Amino acid sequence: MMKRIVILGAGTAGTIMANKLRKALKPGDWSITIVDKEETHYYQPGFLFIPFGIYGKQDVIKPKRQFFPKNIEVIISEIDRIAPDVNKVYLQNADALDYDFLVVATGTEICPEEIEGMKEELWHKSIFDFYTLEGAMALADFLKTWEGGKLVLNIAEMPIKCPVAPLEFLFLADDFFRKKNMRDKVDITLVTPLDAAFTKPIAARELGDFMEKKGINIVTEFNIGRVENEEKKIVSWDEREVEFDLLVTIPTNMGIKAIERSEMGDELNFIPTDKHTLQSNGWENVFVIGDATDLPSSKAGSVAHFQADILFENMMSAIAGKPLEANFDGHANCFIESGGGKGLLIDFNYETEPLPGKFPFPGIGPFALLKETRMNHLGKMGFRWLYWNMLIKGRDLPLEPHMSMAGKYIPEEEAETV
Amino acid sequence: METAVLDNRTIELDKDGNLANRDDWNENIAQEFANMEGVGELNERHWIVINFMRKEFDAKGDAPSIRKLTKESGVSTKELYALFPKGPAKKAAKIAGLPKPKGCI
Ligand SMILES: Cc1cc2nc3c(=O)[nH]c(=O)nc-3n(C[C@H](O)[C@H](O)[C@H](O)COP(=O)(O)OP(=O)(O)OC[C@H]3O[C@@H](n4cnc5c(N)ncnc54)[C@H](O)[C@@H]3O)c2cc1C
């Protein structure tokens, strides 16, 4: 009898998996169904550039169907709920689906309503997000005529997807206001729940130096409790206050509501998942990939891509009734736009924090790790082409899913204390 | 390795100043950490949080986030910050004898 794989979510991870699985499994033996609520694929890394007029809407959207393989079933519908104990998915505008294997790739969404006062009078007037296309577009409009004042970027709570994006936003903002000859009219402050600019110490120091050089202030260990709309300030749970004229928020990031309704998630609706095999902890035939997992790896497109290599191998094993032997190591690889046509690159995994060195070829590069170069900026801009043309189509890139220590070195001060 | 004299014994600490070995923990040490962290005399409400943290750590291998704490311990975020000013998750973990919660990335 024909068996069925259902993939929930046709974003970065779901699209890659559909392509990889369809190529490997005979259509006569396995049917593959993919479900998404939208017809449009958003290139989310491009949202970063929209507020500054570097990209427009057309640069970051394409029809999803352009990236699906032939011979899969595509259903456009909101997912209502999963019933993993009976291998069923309920949809809002279509019949329920039965599955033999399920891949959950529904990502994460921002939840501004989690913060008191966030989504009130000032929302998309003086308070903006840039993690959605609408937010980024509204902010672009606002910035066109803004005359300056206090720009505050606040991260509500961790984890967030693409944890370097807020820093990139600040570097680009600094550059943007400089070019408009109004940098002296803008006071830029990062307000973060972390105790430094970033979570990993060596990169945090490097990025902290950058912020200082660019005159960007930082307020640390600030856990936002509420927004005071009238007085235009954010207030932490321990009653510290930061005033703003323009608040750019990275609201709480959560897994989608359908996961909550299915009672499959943790307190943020992320699904408990084996950090090496990507099998869900709760159900043998349910796999989870990308931002939807509770893994301690970064939530990033590059991570979803490395995970896809591992998950593909493990699903093929599961289908053959063999043990799952491929192991995800937490590998992440992120270009960090630093303004002025330059960028940095970080490469790390569960065990190894971002280190300086060369990538991907030891000693040669062309990319420099944890160092600001023009080449890294070109890498960042070139990623969009790679994303549309190679990555989500599931083509092999000359990049190993596992992180390599080749080409990396540990700075001397750290080496002594290790 | 850093050490400190707590509860009249010399005890090993990790690089964050939390206990290096959970087995060294007892209620006196919890109180001494609380004094060091400016939390003061531990009351019944503090203990609800501390015990919840220890239970979660045993089950999950990591201290719970603030969100999980408030959702499951019955102590609101507001109260949590009143009990452990500034960094409830970090301070309560130290007092509970656990390592600093892993920052998510
Ligand atoms: C501003 C910004 C900058 C970024 N920069 C980078 C970067 O430079 N490099 C990098 O590697 N990553 C970056 N990322 C992160 C990257 O985009 C994500 O990590 C990646 O897309 C995750 O893939 P995913 O498949 O897990 O989730 P997604 O790609 O988000 O896909 C989830 C899919 O599920 C669908 N869905 C959700 N709910 C439902 C429902 N109820 N019913 C049906 N369908 C549903 C959605 O429509 C979507 O298509 C950035 C993200 C943002 C927001």
Side-chain angles (χ1 to χ4, degrees):
Chain A
M1 216 185 74
M2 180 106 117
K3 296 199 169 185
R4 186 195 236 170
I5 297 174
V6 171
I7 301 173
L8 299 180
T12 312
T15 307
I16 301 177
M17 287 310 294
N19 281 298
K20 282 184 180 288
L21 290 168
R22 184 68 296 166
K23 214 161 117 187
L25 297 169
K26 276 211 218 80
D29 298 343
W30 285 91
S31 78
I32 298 176
T33 303
I34 195 163
V35 184
D36 203 290
K37 60 182 159 62
E38 302 220 34
E39 286 278 1
T40 305
H41 193 118
Y42 298 96
Y43 175 63
Q44 299 175 44
F47 293 176
L48 171 68
F49 297 102
I50 289 181
F52 309 106
I54 301 168
Y55 281 174
K57 184 174 174 180
Q58 293 312 318
D59 296 314
V60 299
I61 57 169
K62 284 186 195 288
K64 279 189 192 300
R65 290 179 194 266
Q66 227 172 290
F67 304 99
F68 296 143
K70 286 200 195 86
N71 289 320
I72 67 165
E73 182 189 16
V74 178
I75 298 177
I76 300 298
S77 166
E78 180 98 24
I79 297 151
D80 184 38
R81 148 179 101 76
I82 306 163
D85 292 327
V86 293
N87 303 329
K88 238 182 174 41
V89 180
Y90 295 92
L91 304 178
Q92 237 154 56
N93 341 320
D95 291 341
L97 302 170
D98 295 298
Y99 60 81
D100 294 284
F101 288 102
L102 184 71
V103 178
V104 184
T106 43
T108 167
E109 57 190 16
I110 58 160
C111 299
E113 58 287 344
E114 286 288 315
I115 301 139
E116 189 186 322
M118 182 67 80
K119 224 174 166 180
E120 287 173 19
E121 300 97 276
L122 297 182
W123 183 247
H124 286 188
K125 292 200 186 74
S126 311
I127 304 179
F128 300 87
D129 74 279
F130 67 95
Y131 271 41
T132 60
L133 182 56
E134 309 82 74
M137 300 280 292
L139 181 51
D141 263 347
F142 178 90
L143 284 177
K144 270 181 208 153
T145 54
W146 193 45
E147 288 175 357
K150 296 192 184 77
L151 161 57
V152 171
L153 188 147
N154 174 237
I155 300 169
E157 62 187 296
M158 298 301 284
I160 56 169
K161 68 175 145 186
C162 200
V164 293
L167 299 176
E168 298 183 274
F169 180 92
L170 293 170
F171 298 151
L172 287 174
D174 168 74
D175 197 38
F176 176 80
F177 294 122
R178 256 176 232 288
K179 286 191 179 129
K180 282 185 101 172
N181 280 325
M182 56 180 285
R183 182 63 182 88
D184 56 332
K185 297 205 180 67
V186 184
D187 183 56
I188 307 182
T189 307
L190 167 67
V191 181
T192 171
L194 300 174
D195 56 12
F198 195 57
T199 41
K200 310 269 175 165
I202 298 176
R205 203 176 49 212
E206 196 74 15
L207 294 163
D209 282 354
F210 256 88
M211 303 238 312
E212 213 176 301
K213 253 197 293 180
K214 292 175 194 280
I216 299 169
N217 313 306
I218 178 166
V219 175
T220 56
E221 296 183 84
F222 185 100
N223 288 286
I224 188 169
R226 63 181 191 276
V227 180
E228 300 269 0
N229 280 259
E230 224 148 89
E231 294 168 48
K232 285 197 170 176
K233 60 189 186 192
I234 52 175
V235 185
S236 66
W237 286 106
D238 55 359
E239 299 296 329
R240 282 182 291 156
E241 301 181 346
V242 177
E243 292 179 2
F244 64 84
D245 295 299
L246 164 59
L247 175 63
V248 177
T249 171
I250 318 290
T252 308
N253 280 216
M254 296 176 78
I256 65 167
K257 303 282 183 293
I259 302 300
E260 189 178 5
R261 287 193 291 270
S262 313
E263 296 178 13
M264 291 173 75
D266 64 9
E267 66 278 9
L268 286 166
N269 304 341
F270 295 127
I271 303 175
T273 305
D274 186 287
K275 69 182 212 176
H276 295 301
T277 64
L278 304 177
Q279 190 175 41
S280 73
N281 290 344
W283 301 270
E284 254 185 18
N285 62 340
V286 177
F287 294 88
V288 195
I289 182 169
D291 296 350
T293 71
D294 75 335
L295 262 50
S297 50
S298 277
K299 294 190 183 301
S302 66
V303 176
H305 164 249
F306 294 133
Q307 287 175 350
D309 286 352
I310 304 297
L311 179 56
F312 170 70
E313 226 178 282
N314 280 338
M315 284 189 72
M316 294 308 281
S317 300
I319 284 168
K322 292 188 190 143
L324 311 181
E325 282 178 344
N327 265 331
F328 181 59
D329 69 349
H331 190 190
N333 178 281
C334 306
F335 286 106
I336 307 174
E337 192 64 11
S338 55
K342 292 188 181 170
L344 291 86
L345 177 64
I346 54 177
D347 192 65
F348 56 103
N349 69 8
Y350 288 141
E351 265 78 50
T352 309
E353 63 170 309
L355 296 171
K358 287 276 165 60
F359 186 87
F361 304 109
I364 298 170
F367 302 115
L369 293 167
L370 209 51
K371 200 172 151 225
E372 195 186 33
T373 66
R374 266 184 203 289
M375 196 60 184
N376 289 338
H377 161 72
L378 295 178
K380 173 106 196 170
M381 300 319 268
F383 186 65
R384 183 169 58 138
W385 184 91
L386 206 67
Y387 184 90
W388 291 128
N389 293 287
M390 306 278 290
L391 197 125
I392 58 174
K393 289 183 180 164
R395 302 223 171 109
D396 288 333
L397 299 183
L399 282 181
E400 277 289 309
H402 293 118
M403 197 205 77
S404 157
M405 274 307 284
K408 295 189 173 69
Y409 66 89
I410 300 173
E412 264 166 43
E413 306 129 62
E414 261 74 20
E416 282 162 18
T417 59
V418 168
Chain B
M1 189 55 88
E2 234 182 286
T3 58
V5 177
L6 293 166
D7 195 27
N8 303 317
R9 292 180 285 150
T10 302
I11 284 174
E12 267 180 44
L13 301 180
D14 65 14
K15 64 180 190 324
D16 302 310
N18 295 24
L19 289 189
N21 308 303
R22 268 196 76 186
D23 293 344
D24 288 336
W25 187 84
N26 64 31
E27 300 195 354
N28 297 335
I29 289 184
Q31 185 57 57
E32 289 189 34
F33 270 137
N35 297 342
M36 278 155 61
E37 292 290 322
V39 167
E41 198 64 40
L42 294 174
N43 63 31
E44 201 185 314
R45 299 300 288 173
H46 289 107
W47 279 106
I48 290 179
V49 176
I50 295 166
N51 290 330
F52 179 82
M53 305 258 315
R54 292 176 59 81
K55 207 177 80 213
E56 269 293 308
F57 192 91
D58 287 335
K60 301 280 162 62
D62 193 13
S65 66
I66 292 186
R67 190 171 269 276
K68 186 161 183 113
L69 264 172
T70 56
K71 197 168 164 187
E72 294 175 17
S73 71
V75 178
S76 73
T77 313
K78 188 93 205 152
E79 187 184 356
L80 207 55
Y81 274 91
L83 292 171
F84 303 94
K86 293 221 147 170
K90 228 156 73 177
K91 286 192 179 168
K94 179 176 245 176
I95 295 168
L98 308 172
K100 181 175 155 186
K102 292 186 200 96
C104 306
I105 154 155

